[in-house]
Amino acid sequence: MAFQKVRKAVIPAAGFGTRFLPQTKAMPKEMLPIVDKPVIQYIVEELVDAGIEDIIIVTGYHKRTIEDHFDNPSTDLIENLKMGGEKKKPLLESVMKISTMANFAYVRQKGPYGNGTPLMNVRHLIGNEPFIYTWSDDFIAADPSRFKQLLAAYEKYGYSCMASVRAKSDADYDRYGFAAGNEIEPGVIDCTTIIEKPGKANAPSDLANVSGFLFTPDIFEYLDTVLANLKDGDEFYYNDALKLMLKDGKHVLATEIKNGKYYDTGNKLEYMKTQIEFALKDPSMNGDLKEFIRGCRFREESDFVLSTIFLHNFD
């Protein structure tokens, strides 16, 4: 059966990034670099590679830098790079490409606190189409990409799909939502319920829902219901809409993203880990960086051993 093509994606990016203050006082957390590229650009490039044409970014008053980044480069920058000749040509091509990757639209977030609000803010732009909803500060590096895997599941079954990864530690069970239901094929669960932060003892599976979603447009009807029943001080979450969908017999799939690794750049420690890993994969610097790490002084011998093991994975 042929289902409606997925052409649009929504990226909520209105948060204050308080965990990275004071750095994020003036610069959005989505613009924090991984080596030489902002986090949000990794997400956009992955969407475009999966065939997404329209990208809607939900922002706040303090996020103009994101709009500027995906706009045409300034005449001054272009002229400066042209003056650099062949040496600067790759840089010129890379900055010129950014604004033409997709059709970008920006919506200012307004409404109650919670991750359901950005969805309602873009409803008029999504219309009656399936779409991808994904965060701006985490991603899964996978082959095929997580969005291609989500699209493959949607094209096979026609249902809303949640990107999922296998829990790696006991702490994961206290951080993420987990899917309960029938495994209709390896790594794909047809959910009967979604349990938030169940703890390892109460987890119905080891599939943690993280990083991205493919929603069918009927989610908006259920968001309407959740919003209408909010009381003063309540937070507005899309998970409550998903639970209503399941209660109504709608299908939602937890889809394991295979051959991938989850990166959460939304906290300082994981951000630094991501920086180091990606820098060690960069041929222009990985040799010097390895030597720097090997030459660092360690208080404990065990720290030196761990760093050696870590570097061995990149040799």
Side-chain angles (χ1 to χ4, degrees):
M1 182 183 294
F3 297 102
Q4 192 172 7
K5 179 177 170 59
V6 181
R7 303 182 303 116
K8 299 177 180 178
V10 178
I11 304 175
F16 287 97
T18 54
R19 282 184 280 188
F20 285 91
L21 285 170
Q23 174 61 47
T24 47
K25 178 178 180 290
M27 184 176 76
K29 67 175 182 176
E30 296 82 8
M31 293 299 296
L32 290 171
I34 300 177
V35 186
D36 58 358
K37 189 186 298 184
V39 177
I40 194 171
Q41 187 174 330
Y42 282 92
I43 284 85
V44 167
E45 288 176 347
E46 185 187 349
L47 288 166
V48 171
D49 181 60
I52 298 302
E53 302 166 6
D54 302 328
I55 296 176
I56 307 162
I57 303 177
V58 184
T59 67
Y61 71 90
H62 53 305
K63 298 301 181 86
R64 179 62 185 270
T65 309
I66 297 174
E67 298 181 32
D68 290 343
H69 181 71
F70 291 106
D71 198 357
N72 288 323
S74 69
T75 302
D76 288 345
L77 176 58
I78 292 172
E79 289 305 314
N80 180 277
L81 293 174
K82 284 182 177 178
M83 289 171 60
E86 288 299 313
K87 183 178 180 181
K88 294 292 182 72
K89 188 176 180 180
L91 292 176
L92 177 60
E93 292 173 347
S94 69
V95 298
M96 293 292 289
K97 181 182 177 182
I98 291 172
S99 62
T100 60
M101 288 191 294
N103 303 313
F104 293 96
Y106 302 92
V107 175
R108 289 290 179 93
Q109 181 166 311
K110 50 186 180 291
Y113 181 84
N115 53 31
T117 292
L119 290 170
M120 298 304 282
N121 292 161
V122 303
R123 184 178 190 171
H124 63 295
L125 296 175
I126 296 297
N128 192 37
E129 295 185 39
F131 63 100
I132 287 173
Y133 187 48
T134 188
W135 311 129
S136 56
D137 59 2
D138 72 358
F139 58 95
I140 302 172
D143 185 19
S145 75
R146 62 176 160 159
F147 296 133
K148 286 182 177 179
Q149 293 189 47
L150 284 177
L151 286 165
Y154 166 75
E155 289 165 3
K156 183 173 183 179
Y157 295 102
Y159 304 145
S160 291
C161 303
M162 303 182 293
S164 302
V165 296
R166 300 286 177 183
K168 300 289 187 184
S169 68
D170 291 356
D172 287 344
Y173 293 93
D174 297 315
R175 296 175 61 193
Y176 307 118
F178 285 78
N182 302 313
E183 190 168 41
I184 56 177
E185 65 174 89
V188 178
I189 291 178
D190 189 4
C191 298
T192 54
T193 188
I194 301 166
I195 304 174
E196 291 300 310
K197 303 176 183 179
K200 187 173 183 180
N202 298 314
S205 72
D206 65 346
L207 271 185
N209 309 319
V210 300
S211 195
F213 311 84
L214 194 161
F215 289 138
T216 51
D218 51 352
I219 191 172
F220 289 115
E221 303 168 25
Y222 294 93
L223 286 166
D224 281 337
T225 301
V226 175
L227 187 58
N229 288 288
L230 283 185
K231 298 176 182 177
D232 288 344
D234 284 351
E235 297 176 358
F236 182 28
Y237 290 121
Y238 67 79
N239 256 353
D240 294 325
L242 289 177
K243 289 173 183 177
L244 290 177
M245 290 175 69
L246 293 175
K247 188 176 180 181
D248 253 5
K250 300 277 186 177
H251 294 274
V252 177
L253 303 182
T255 308
E256 180 186 4
I257 305 303
K258 297 177 181 178
N259 306 313
K261 181 174 181 179
Y262 175 55
Y263 293 92
D264 180 3
T265 63
N267 70 75
K268 287 183 282 190
L269 177 59
E270 293 304 318
Y271 173 72
M272 292 306 300
K273 289 178 181 178
T274 303
Q275 280 275 40
I276 293 169
E277 281 200 31
F278 275 66
L280 286 169
K281 294 175 184 177
D282 187 330
S284 71
M285 70 172 72
N286 61 0
D288 290 340
L289 182 58
K290 288 175 186 176
E291 289 306 310
F292 170 77
I293 294 173
R294 288 190 179 103
C296 285
R297 294 183 177 180
F298 295 94
R299 289 186 177 182
E300 303 290 342
E301 183 178 349
S302 59
D303 292 335
F304 174 77
V305 172
L306 287 173
S307 71
T308 302
I309 294 171
F310 176 74
L311 287 174
H312 179 71
N313 294 326
F314 292 89
D315 285 333

